[in-house]
């Protein structure tokens, strides 16, 4: 069986399900103040919050779609295998895993930075929730990348060590945990 096709089918099913949920979230942002809480909320404050929520939902919806398009492209076109072949690190299991993890982090950063910038510097600033400067945004982005790289590479190496010690039982255990 072609596992890449199976993975793409599963990702596609999850994409459709999550897209429906995101769409419902965007549509729910058009609600008026419910009658049972009208006396608790100021109408103007509630309207401002709903506008904020609607903008955040729309951005999240587009981020979701772009995320799945990138995921389909990376898996469908064997980007990891191609880039791993360019590095020549496929002989060592640990270095191959670290390189694939770092490639994934870079790809993720490339498509997510514009959305994060729009979220933090656009929507959050528009509604007064953000006082961040461009310099702070970039510094935070660099810190986030370094922390993510350290944590993810450490976890993937730990997973490899445990997998080598336990064999395929580890996969069965993780699958059982995931299904719970």
């Amino acid at each position: 069986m072609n596992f890449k096709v199976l993975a793409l089918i599963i990702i596609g099913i999850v994409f459709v399900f999550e897209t429906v949920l995101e769409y419902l979230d965007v549509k729910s942002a058009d609600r008026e103040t419910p009658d049972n809480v009208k006396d608790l909320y100021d109408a103007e404050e509630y309207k401002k919050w709903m506008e904020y929520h609607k903008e955040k939902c729309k951005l999240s919806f587009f981020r979701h779609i772009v995320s799945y398009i990138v995921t389909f492209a990376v898996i469908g076109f064997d980007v990891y295998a191609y880039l791993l072949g360019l590095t020549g690190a496929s002989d060592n299991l640990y270095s191959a895993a670290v390189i694939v993890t770092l490639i994934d982090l870079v790809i993720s950063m490339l498509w997510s930075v514009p959305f994060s910038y729009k979220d933090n510097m656009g929507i959050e600033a528009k509604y007064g929730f953000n006082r961040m400067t461009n310099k702070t945004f970039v510094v935070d982005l660099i810190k986030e990348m370094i922390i993510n790289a350290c944590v993810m590479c450490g976890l993937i190496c730990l997973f490899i060590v445990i997998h080598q010690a336990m064999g395929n039982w580890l996969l069965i255990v993780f699958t059982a945990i995931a299904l719970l």
Side-chain angles (χ1 to χ4, degrees):
M1 172 174 216
N2 188 345
F3 289 107
K4 181 169 78 170
V5 172
L6 179 64
L8 289 173
I9 289 171
I10 292 170
I11 291 169
I13 292 168
V14 171
F15 169 72
V16 169
F17 177 73
E18 288 182 355
T19 302
V20 168
L21 292 179
E22 291 275 345
Y23 176 75
L24 292 174
D25 198 23
V26 169
K27 294 303 282 181
S28 74
D30 289 331
R31 295 179 281 176
E32 293 295 322
T33 308
D35 291 332
N36 61 341
V37 293
K38 277 190 177 184
D39 57 332
L40 299 174
Y41 291 106
D42 178 49
E44 285 299 313
E45 287 292 318
Y46 186 79
K47 183 179 176 187
K48 183 179 178 182
W49 180 83
M50 286 305 288
E51 289 172 6
Y52 167 76
H53 178 66
K54 187 174 185 175
E55 284 189 53
K56 294 280 282 186
C57 286
K58 284 182 180 179
L59 182 66
S60 175
F61 184 72
F62 289 119
R63 180 186 303 212
H64 166 78
I65 290 172
V66 170
S67 169
Y68 276 93
I69 290 171
V70 169
T71 301
F72 277 114
V74 166
I75 292 173
F77 295 118
D78 294 325
V79 172
Y80 294 127
Y82 175 74
L83 293 174
L84 190 59
L86 290 178
T87 64
S90 59
D91 296 338
N92 184 335
L93 185 61
Y94 293 99
S95 62
V98 167
I99 288 173
V100 167
T101 302
L102 293 176
I103 289 169
D104 185 57
L105 287 172
V106 169
I107 290 171
S108 175
M109 183 194 72
L110 289 176
W111 72 261
S112 68
V113 167
F115 289 105
S116 295
Y117 188 83
K118 173 68 175 167
D119 186 28
N120 289 319
M121 307 305 277
I123 298 171
E124 297 282 333
K126 177 180 175 181
Y127 291 95
F129 299 130
N130 182 24
R131 306 273 188 251
M132 185 182 287
T133 64
N134 287 334
K135 179 182 176 185
T136 309
F137 179 79
V138 171
V139 169
D140 283 354
L141 189 66
I142 292 169
K143 288 178 186 176
E144 181 183 346
M145 278 296 291
I146 291 170
I147 291 169
N148 282 344
C150 292
V151 170
M152 292 303 296
C153 291
L155 286 175
I156 198 72
C157 288
L158 178 65
F159 180 81
I160 291 170
V161 167
I162 294 171
H163 182 263
Q164 287 178 337
M166 291 182 68
N168 288 336
W169 282 103
L170 179 67
L171 299 176
I172 294 169
V173 170
F174 278 151
T175 303
I177 291 171
L179 292 175
L180 294 177

